[in-house]
Amino acid sequence: MSASFDALGNIVGRYPAADAAAPVVMTGSHQDSVRNAGKYDGLFGIISAIACIKDLKARGKRLPYTLEVVGLGDEEGVRFGTALMSSRAIAGSFEPSWLDKTDERGVSLRSAIEEFGGDAEAWPALNRRGKLAAYVESHIEQGPVLLNEGLPVGVVTAITGAARLRVAVAGLAGHAGTVPMGSRRDALCAAAEMILFVERYCESRRALVGTVGKLSVLPGAINVIPQDVEFSVDVRSGENALWREAVEAFGREFQKIAERRGSSVIVSPVYSADAAPCDADLQDQLAKAIAEQGIAVRHLASGAGHDAMVFPPICPMAMLFVRCGNNGISHHPDETMTADDAEIATSVLLHFFEHFDAAAFASKQGTA
Amino acid sequence: MSASFDALGNIVGRYPAADAAAPVVMTGSHQDSVRNAGKYDGLFGIISAIACIKDLKARGKRLPYTLEVVGLGDEEGVRFGTALMSSRAIAGSFEPSWLDKTDERGVSLRSAIEEFGGDAEAWPALNRRGKLAAYVESHIEQGPVLLNEGLPVGVVTAITGAARLRVAVAGLAGHAGTVPMGSRRDALCAAAEMILFVERYCESRRALVGTVGKLSVLPGAINVIPQDVEFSVDVRSGENALWREAVEAFGREFQKIAERRGSSVIVSPVYSADAAPCDADLQDQLAKAIAEQGIAVRHLASGAGHDAMVFPPICPMAMLFVRCGNNGISHHPDETMTADDAEIATSVLLHFFEHFDAAAFASKQGTA
């Protein structure tokens, strides 16, 4: 395998096919993480791919396609607020205006890339549209699903779509001692009903999660009935219809709750994104590789975002999830993965790479 | 009526009985209010009493007791944080350490009194323990009860007792996208259930109000499941048994909710005060005076604190409430009372004063 930096500072390893005209398959993940992060997020996807190539090389085994391992420089966007920047350059959706973004010391992304030895203006050269047969990424789950089911790995079905709402409930302030219960328009009691509706609704549907993570109360005094409550809703599903229906149901029910209580509510959408589906054929081949290890195959959606989510517009993609210990905690020093699980995941990947017929797949998909 | 300042700067009007040894009845209210206040809170209780004396004087009518009208200097405690300071001096529960409290410019209460022409160290002279037959105060309701029932005045049964709790719910943080609903320990969902329990419990019992006025969420991010929620509970009733039972019920139910959700909760009492009961005989006499005006008699507890609440340790007390417009809003420029209601309330008070047999009452009560 040869390795080098590309123009934006990503590390790219290349394990070439004998035939220079063979299809190219990309694997890997991101090198960066958040502050006070864990050790496996991102890095595992790079190292497990390198381990596969090491094994292939030791056995003198060439693949019928060129396998590229990318160590992406910026997925989290911590320094410049440019999430998925590296993979979007590869997928042809890089935003040139990002180069002018600055970090907290005023250094621009452009000059940071140049200082690192890169060539910021050469970003169009990274675009691999029409040149990749597939993108396959392994990643620590960052959640508790595999852990709770006693499984070391799982096949990702989609990176979930999401909507975020800002909900403003307006009631009427009043003295906590002098206004009888029946005369109140307590905005916090209304919000409490709405929060429990979000929970109940999402619990009653598979493949849907909903969270109220922020909430503020005004005037926020111990002896004053709450007049104004604002809270956030984050709802996600691997199936776009599910989160869209949820947003509509929340809006309808919040109105009902507010009306019944003589209060009012304004629900404002602040963000939405469709799910990024994993390719069904690639999912099947990962599933076969898992079954070969004698392990039950679990399909699950990814609730968190990943580099893989930017690839569907340019090539089929798939993801392998690896069990995350400590109740699924991630982006935290307690993030953990066992050596046994790392070994199993790498064996699954290796099996996948060895059995993947990139040419047949590409011709069936109509990709490069 | 003669009028003068006492040593702490209260205005005291005195409409003396013919017999210098006759009992003394005190009436009045507070002159101070909060910032951005209404026009009736406190002042109405002083002015309506003066109006009664003006009428008595015009008719040349002496009472068989000396009627004192106090304009109390500090009920709200806005400047020095000394709530009910003036009435507590009269009721013998003044705290000498208050004199060292300072306002936001560093001026002490002691020097503010001296600058006003008072004599701070003479506070013990105000103590009227054993020297008052009764204390009777009229006051704007500061709530919507009389307004909602179409009544101009009402008889206060008690100034409510109250408890305040700080409730800390501990769940488990997690990624809003990666933790399935069934694996969550969402502290805000638990708190929402607790808030609705407080509301439901208080709604189902007469003469009890409960309010969650403050609430904070940690970490408080749109995409993170809430780990810690802290909120306040304020519960009040004119009957001590009712708020005490409520505090116990809240503690029991909060524990149940937390346990069912795999979370934990700590309920800390931060304040409690027993109800100050209004004297039953005085209530009856106010009720008669209301009925004489052809008005239905409504008894109601006061959810807010008043100067009257400090008197029960030294003499029987009673309060007359007057209808508060604008949905019962008070401590606000929108606070309002109609001239008709002011007239009715003053007539009720006058009837009460003219028919009150202070000597018989004092001898029956065993007070001065």
Side-chain angles (χ1 to χ4, degrees):
Chain A
M1 178 168 74
S2 62
S4 59
F5 287 108
D6 67 18
L8 296 187
N10 304 306
I11 305 176
V12 185
R14 194 172 164 87
Y15 189 63
D19 177 0
V24 178
V25 172
M26 185 174 277
T27 185
S29 190
H30 58 101
Q31 301 176 67
D32 67 323
S33 194
V34 298
R35 291 185 173 114
N36 204 33
K39 289 187 281 193
Y40 305 91
D41 175 22
L43 289 175
F44 180 77
I46 304 168
I47 287 170
S48 59
I50 294 172
C52 287
I53 291 170
K54 181 178 177 214
D55 188 277
L56 293 168
K57 167 87 172 147
R59 286 188 282 131
K61 169 131 189 164
R62 289 270 179 176
L63 296 172
Y65 55 89
T66 292
L67 182 59
E68 280 191 18
V69 187
V70 284
L72 300 162
D74 179 22
E75 187 255 20
E76 304 284 0
V78 169
R79 184 169 171 194
F80 296 99
T82 52
L84 303 168
M85 187 263 281
S86 303
S87 46
R88 286 186 61 181
I90 293 168
S93 51
F94 185 87
E95 294 286 345
S97 62
W98 287 341
L99 294 173
D100 298 318
K101 286 186 174 258
T102 52
D103 68 9
E104 60 193 16
R105 294 193 314 272
V107 178
S108 72
L109 173 57
R110 178 182 285 100
S111 61
I113 291 171
E114 306 281 342
E115 275 169 43
F116 186 73
D119 176 3
E121 300 303 334
W123 58 266
L126 272 68
N127 186 343
R128 302 294 287 275
R129 181 178 288 269
K131 292 175 188 156
L132 294 179
Y135 177 85
V136 180
E137 176 171 358
S138 69
H139 203 284
I140 188 167
E141 183 198 332
Q142 303 184 280
V145 174
L146 296 172
L147 183 70
N148 290 344
E149 300 190 9
L151 293 170
V153 290
V155 180
V156 178
T157 55
I159 294 161
T160 58
R164 288 176 177 180
L165 310 173
R166 184 173 55 236
V167 183
V169 186
L172 189 67
H175 190 295
T178 64
V179 184
M181 300 306 292
S183 304
R184 297 184 172 207
R185 299 189 231 161
D186 185 319
L188 184 56
C189 287
E193 267 198 66
M194 295 171 190
I195 290 165
L196 293 175
F197 179 79
V198 168
E199 185 188 43
R200 213 162 50 239
Y201 182 94
C202 295
E203 277 174 353
S204 71
R205 279 150 185 88
R206 65 182 176 77
L208 186 71
V209 288
T211 308
V212 175
K214 284 176 75 170
L215 185 144
S216 62
V217 184
L218 286 177
I222 197 165
N223 63 341
V224 181
I225 298 164
Q227 170 143 330
D228 293 291
V229 172
E230 195 170 296
F231 64 89
S232 63
V233 180
D234 176 304
V235 58
R236 307 190 192 203
S237 176
E239 298 168 42
N240 292 321
L242 281 182
W243 67 256
R244 288 210 177 92
E245 283 164 20
V247 166
E248 279 172 31
F250 295 166
R252 277 194 308 272
E253 185 68 17
F254 292 178
Q255 290 295 347
K256 268 194 222 165
I257 292 168
E259 272 169 35
R260 179 163 38 76
R261 291 174 165 277
S263 298
S264 64
V265 64
I266 296 170
V267 180
S268 311
V270 291
Y271 166 85
S272 73
D274 279 347
C278 296
D279 181 78
D281 273 4
L282 295 176
Q283 286 186 59
D284 285 349
Q285 292 179 51
L286 281 173
K288 271 181 208 152
I290 292 170
E292 281 289 327
Q293 305 283 324
I295 294 163
V297 176
R298 172 65 151 100
H299 286 85
L300 72 168
S302 170
H306 294 290
D307 286 307
M309 70 195 280
V310 308
F311 284 90
I314 70 155
C315 72
M317 73 78 177
M319 287 191 80
L320 178 73
F321 264 0
V322 191
R323 171 162 51 191
C324 184
N326 278 335
N327 205 49
I329 197 168
S330 179
H331 280 190
H332 190 282
D334 290 346
E335 181 187 281
T336 185
M337 180 193 291
T338 67
D340 283 353
D341 286 356
E343 178 66 33
I344 290 167
T346 307
S347 299
V348 167
L349 265 186
L350 182 59
H351 187 278
F352 172 88
F353 289 138
E354 284 205 59
H355 294 81
F356 184 56
D357 185 343
F361 178 78
S363 118
K364 185 171 151 202
Q365 296 271 344
T367 54
Chain B
M1 177 168 74
S2 61
S4 59
F5 287 107
D6 68 16
L8 296 186
N10 304 307
I11 307 176
V12 185
R14 193 172 166 87
Y15 188 64
D19 177 0
V24 177
V25 172
M26 184 174 278
T27 186
S29 190
H30 58 102
Q31 301 177 68
D32 67 322
S33 194
V34 297
R35 290 182 174 120
N36 205 33
K39 289 187 280 192
Y40 305 91
D41 174 22
L43 290 175
F44 179 76
I46 304 168
I47 287 171
S48 59
I50 293 171
C52 288
I53 290 169
K54 182 180 175 213
D55 187 276
L56 293 169
K57 168 87 172 145
R59 287 188 280 131
K61 168 127 191 169
R62 289 273 181 175
L63 296 172
Y65 55 90
T66 292
L67 183 59
E68 280 191 18
V69 186
V70 284
L72 300 162
D74 179 22
E75 188 255 23
E76 304 284 0
V78 170
R79 184 169 170 193
F80 297 100
T82 51
L84 303 169
M85 186 264 281
S86 304
S87 46
R88 287 186 60 179
I90 293 168
S93 51
F94 185 86
E95 295 285 346
S97 63
W98 287 342
L99 294 173
D100 298 318
K101 285 186 175 257
T102 52
D103 68 10
E104 59 193 16
R105 294 194 313 272
V107 177
S108 71
L109 173 57
R110 179 182 284 100
S111 62
I113 290 170
E114 307 281 343
E115 275 168 43
F116 185 74
D119 177 4
E121 299 304 334
W123 59 266
L126 272 68
N127 185 344
R128 302 293 288 274
R129 182 177 287 272
K131 291 174 190 156
L132 294 177
Y135 176 86
V136 180
E137 177 172 357
S138 69
H139 203 284
I140 188 167
E141 184 198 330
Q142 303 183 279
V145 174
L146 296 172
L147 183 70
N148 290 344
E149 300 192 8
L151 294 169
V153 291
V155 180
V156 177
T157 55
I159 293 160
T160 59
R164 289 176 176 179
L165 311 173
R166 183 173 55 237
V167 183
V169 185
L172 189 67
H175 191 295
T178 64
V179 184
M181 300 307 291
S183 303
R184 297 183 173 207
R185 299 188 231 159
D186 185 319
L188 184 57
C189 287
E193 268 199 65
M194 296 172 191
I195 290 165
L196 293 175
F197 179 78
V198 168
E199 185 187 44
R200 212 161 51 239
Y201 183 94
C202 295
E203 278 175 351
S204 70
R205 278 151 185 88
R206 63 179 178 78
L208 186 70
V209 289
T211 308
V212 175
K214 283 176 74 170
L215 185 144
S216 62
V217 184
L218 286 176
I222 197 164
N223 64 342
V224 181
I225 298 164
Q227 170 143 328
D228 294 290
V229 172
E230 195 169 295
F231 64 88
S232 63
V233 180
D234 176 304
V235 58
R236 307 188 191 202
S237 177
E239 297 168 43
N240 291 322
L242 281 183
W243 67 256
R244 288 210 178 91
E245 283 163 21
V247 166
E248 279 171 31
F250 295 165
R252 276 194 310 271
E253 185 68 18
F254 292 178
Q255 289 296 346
K256 267 194 225 166
I257 292 168
E259 270 169 37
R260 178 163 40 75
R261 290 175 164 277
S263 298
S264 64
V265 64
I266 296 171
V267 180
S268 311
V270 291
Y271 166 84
S272 73
D274 279 348
C278 296
D279 181 78
D281 273 4
L282 295 175
Q283 286 187 61
D284 285 350
Q285 292 180 51
L286 281 173
K288 270 180 209 154
I290 292 170
E292 281 289 327
Q293 306 282 324
I295 294 163
V297 177
R298 173 63 151 100
H299 287 85
L300 72 168
S302 169
H306 294 290
D307 287 306
M309 69 195 281
V310 309
F311 285 90
I314 71 154
C315 72
M317 76 72 179
M319 287 191 80
L320 179 72
F321 264 0
V322 191
R323 172 163 49 191
C324 183
N326 279 334
N327 205 49
I329 197 169
S330 180
H331 280 189
H332 190 282
D334 290 344
E335 180 186 280
T336 186
M337 180 191 294
T338 67
D340 283 352
D341 286 355
E343 177 67 32
I344 291 168
T346 307
S347 299
V348 168
L349 264 187
L350 181 59
H351 187 278
F352 172 88
F353 289 139
E354 284 204 59
H355 293 82
F356 184 55
D357 184 343
F361 178 78
S363 121
K364 186 173 152 201
Q365 296 271 343
T367 54

